[in-house]
Amino acid sequence: MIGTWAQIGYLVAAVCFILALKALSSPKTARTGNALGAAGAVLAVIITFIAYKPDNLVPILIALLIGTVGGVVGSRRVQMTHMPQLVALFNGVGGGAAALVALMELDHVQDGQTVAAIATAFTVLVGAISFSGSIVTFAKLQELMTTRPITFPGLPVLFVAGLLGGVAVSVWLVSEPRVLVGVLLCLLGLAVGVMLVLPVGGADVPIVISLLNAFTGLTVAAGGYVLGNTLLLVAGTLVGAAGTLLTKLMADAMGRSVFNILFGAVRGGSTLGGGTASDRPVISGSAEDVAILLGYAQRVIIVPGYGLAVAQAQHTLRDLVEELQGRGVKVDYAIHPVAGRMPGHMNVLLAEAQVPYEQLREMDEINGDFKQADVVLVVGANDVVNPAARTTPSAPIYGMPILNADEAQRVIFLKRSMRPGFAGIENELLYDPRTTLLFGDARESLAKLLASVKTV
Amino acid sequence: MTESIALLTIFVLAAFVGVEVISKVSATLHTPLMSGANAIHGVILVGAIIVTGQAESVPVVIVGLLAVVLATVNMVGGFVVTDRMLEMFRGPGGRKKELHK
């Protein structure tokens, strides 16, 4: 048993974590909050060294050093567009660490400690699922493997068998807490994790990251129970709650259930359409035409999508917006909750381009303003402004809340080609007589627009 | 058994605190929230240090050290990358101030 002072120190660290999350309610306080969270984590580690007086001190310190260097280098180097991959990777290693901790703790679980044994089994199984699932997610996002859903005829059966096997071995582990059984459970968990993520399409992968984040949180909480450590319990539970809530928010923003996202492809109801281009007539314009529309508008709303970030065009877009604002045009960015590759990703990408966060407006907040907008400029987005979500019950995206771009006077799409978005469905808005298309790479198109706006 | 109940009580209360705090997070900051929450579960490092410190045989120590490395990457990387993101969020005129420096 550790001393009271250590328990109180852990409590302080837990409060730091809660305050860190609370500080995220505003961009003004968020950074200080994060520093406070980090301070809490450092405090917790120092307390652990003093209170538990661990053996193998030197190897542990060396391992800490290696991990720190790895973490710092990884997080300093990553590009903001690659943030989802990094979060997935960090989440996976956390889950893996938790599973290993529980495996090692098996020796200390005695007969009769049923609850502790159940918590241990849970930590091993879910930690392993989180680890392998996150690694597959990382591989998909990093495009080390195909981003399309992967299914094969026996997959649902195998998945269910794996899950049932996991439960059965967990029961075995609870009645007979032996390390070998734990290793078997761990292997089963790894297999289930892979099968869980394989059938998920690239565009839905962010929801899986959020879900696996919740899994790791709960794993850490269960680990806290096993070790009788309140800090792990509180911290893990907080993260479990965060992940669960975010998963739900994001699924709502896509108008689909979490179940449908995970198993849609398995049941054959994949959202991925043919992805073929249509030959219906559209109105395409030159940069000069579009510049005149923008330059003489009073109110412009920008709808940025992931295509903007892929083209690395955020800075050019910001320059264009500043030019328009200089001419007295009122400009806002309308951010759909699933713009980008994870919730809130577009905000980070635009913040990187030094767009002040007040200009970034959430969907619910700005949707009423589209009626008054003279021009809506859609850059690298498609499905989030597709009216089919409202009007066509058979469309895969039906029910997804969208940005009401179709209510504006004029709509401009910057597009590479006529290929539909990831939902693989046609966007009627593209064929609307009020819509003008400007084809080409987003960055080049925006640069041309900027040059043209300066001359009109 | 009382200790089990105490831990269960902490778990339930923490779940309510978590939902309450997180539902107030601005949607603008959902990505930093995910990576920040990610960093927080890196505190499993504490568990990794405890079990490695009690390990007696070499193979167990090696597994423990692996857990320490993984957990540290999770925790340190998570906080650093969250800080990097939050640093970029600027208020009104933030960019202009920067340009005038």
Side-chain angles (χ1 to χ4, degrees):
Chain A
M1 203 55 212
I2 56 170
T4 310
W5 65 270
Q7 301 275 16
I8 289 176
Y10 279 150
L11 179 62
V12 171
V15 170
C16 286
F17 291 159
I18 294 172
L19 290 177
L21 291 173
K22 196 169 153 52
L24 283 169
S25 56
S26 156
K28 289 192 196 83
T29 53
R31 199 173 174 211
T32 320
N34 186 56
L36 191 62
V42 172
L43 175 71
V45 171
I46 293 173
I47 288 173
T48 309
F49 275 114
I50 300 173
Y52 286 88
K53 300 185 184 62
D55 299 337
N56 313 311
L57 187 61
V58 175
I60 291 178
L61 288 176
I62 294 173
L64 264 177
L65 189 68
I66 296 172
T68 306
V69 171
V72 169
V73 170
S75 51
R76 284 270 150 218
R77 289 218 177 138
V78 67
Q79 290 171 16
M80 287 299 150
T81 37
H82 290 168
M83 193 52 64
Q85 288 92 305
L86 190 78
V87 171
L89 194 65
F90 285 168
N91 184 49
V93 295
L100 292 179
V101 168
L103 269 183
M104 293 170 64
E105 194 58 17
L106 267 178
D107 276 343
H108 301 271
V109 177
Q110 276 125 33
D111 289 337
Q113 289 182 312
T114 318
V115 186
I118 293 173
T120 311
F122 178 86
T123 310
V124 173
L125 180 65
V126 182
I129 292 177
S130 188
F131 176 74
S132 64
S134 298
I135 299 303
V136 176
T137 308
F138 172 80
K140 284 198 177 200
L141 286 168
Q142 192 70 27
E143 297 184 11
L144 298 176
M145 58 183 285
T146 171
T147 55
R148 301 194 126 248
I150 298 173
T151 54
F152 48 88
L155 184 68
V157 179
L158 259 183
F159 180 74
V160 172
L163 264 189
L164 290 179
V167 173
V169 176
S170 298
V171 173
W172 185 12
L173 189 73
V174 170
S175 63
E176 226 179 315
R178 288 211 320 259
V179 174
L180 263 183
V181 185
V183 172
L184 179 65
L185 185 61
C186 191
L187 292 176
L188 263 172
L190 291 176
V192 170
V194 172
M195 288 190 286
L196 179 72
V197 181
L198 275 185
V200 178
D204 293 337
V205 160
I207 293 204
V208 175
I209 302 179
S210 180
L211 189 69
L212 291 174
N213 205 4
F215 280 8
T216 307
L218 292 175
T219 309
V220 171
Y225 186 91
V226 175
L227 294 167
N229 187 307
T230 48
L231 176 63
L232 294 192
L233 185 61
V234 172
T237 310
L238 287 174
V239 179
T244 311
L245 209 65
L246 266 183
T247 309
K248 197 183 166 301
L249 280 179
M250 202 168 172
D252 289 350
M254 297 173 89
R256 296 164 62 198
S257 71
V258 177
F259 185 86
N260 177 276
I261 287 160
L262 288 178
F263 303 111
V266 173
R267 292 184 310 165
S270 166
T271 54
L272 273 169
T276 48
S278 158
D279 49 8
R280 283 166 61 189
V282 292
I283 305 161
S284 78
S286 67
E288 289 75 23
D289 302 337
V290 174
I292 289 167
L293 281 178
L294 288 173
Y296 292 99
Q298 286 177 346
R299 181 95 166 86
V300 171
I301 298 178
I302 314 264
V303 178
Y306 190 63
L308 173 77
V310 171
Q312 291 290 320
Q314 306 98 298
H315 290 84
T316 322
L317 177 64
R318 186 211 59 218
D319 290 342
L320 174 66
V321 169
E322 285 181 355
E323 178 68 28
L324 289 173
Q325 284 167 337
R327 293 174 64 105
V329 184
K330 182 167 164 33
V331 190
D332 284 306
Y333 298 81
I335 312 288
H336 191 273
V338 293
R341 281 290 176 268
M342 66 193 285
H345 194 192
M346 188 52 66
N347 303 82
V348 172
L349 294 171
L350 289 172
E352 189 191 16
Q354 300 178 335
V355 175
Y357 56 79
E358 285 87 349
Q359 291 173 24
L360 310 179
R361 311 267 307 270
E362 290 170 29
M363 180 170 66
D364 294 340
E365 193 193 332
I366 199 158
N367 250 350
D369 290 14
F370 279 99
K371 281 191 196 77
Q372 285 101 49
D374 301 303
V375 182
V376 170
L377 179 64
V378 184
V379 190
N382 188 4
D383 294 330
V384 296
V385 292
N386 191 340
R390 266 191 250 120
T391 55
T392 317
S394 62
I397 59 165
Y398 183 70
M400 173 169 105
I402 56 163
L403 292 163
N404 299 332
D406 53 333
E407 291 178 357
Q409 299 293 319
R410 300 293 297 262
V411 183
I412 298 160
F413 276 89
L414 299 193
K415 277 182 81 67
R416 291 178 70 85
S417 68
M418 281 304 287
R419 267 189 55 130
F422 74 74
I425 37 172
E426 291 228 52
N427 189 344
E428 282 303 320
L429 192 54
L430 292 173
Y431 307 102
D432 193 289
R434 294 168 300 153
T435 299
T436 308
L437 279 79
L438 180 56
F439 286 107
D441 174 73
R443 190 152 144 192
E444 286 167 22
S445 297
L446 285 168
K448 277 189 222 152
L449 272 181
L450 178 59
S452 306
V453 167
K454 281 182 177 160
T455 61
V456 296
Chain B
M1 202 59 209
T2 41
E3 203 201 327
S4 299
I5 294 298
L7 290 176
L8 186 66
T9 310
I10 293 172
F11 172 74
V12 173
L13 294 182
F16 276 98
V17 171
V19 170
E20 202 56 37
V21 169
I22 287 142
S23 55
K24 292 194 178 65
V25 170
S26 134
T28 309
L29 295 177
H30 273 165
T31 292
L33 168 64
M34 256 165 114
S35 80
N38 213 340
I40 289 175
H41 69 49
V43 78
I44 186 65
L45 175 60
V46 165
I49 293 172
I50 295 172
V51 291
T52 313
Q54 295 165 346
E56 275 144 20
S57 67
V58 175
V60 181
V61 171
I62 291 174
V63 174
L65 290 177
L66 179 62
V68 171
V69 172
L70 294 181
T72 313
V73 169
N74 181 182
M75 194 178 95
V76 175
F79 281 117
V80 172
V81 84
T82 309
D83 184 66
R84 234 187 102 192
M85 279 191 271
L86 292 174
E87 189 188 359
M88 300 182 313
F89 281 89
R90 284 153 208 269
R95 179 171 135 78
K96 293 198 182 74
K97 263 182 240 154
E98 175 113 326
L99 290 176
H100 288 188
K101 254 185 209 166

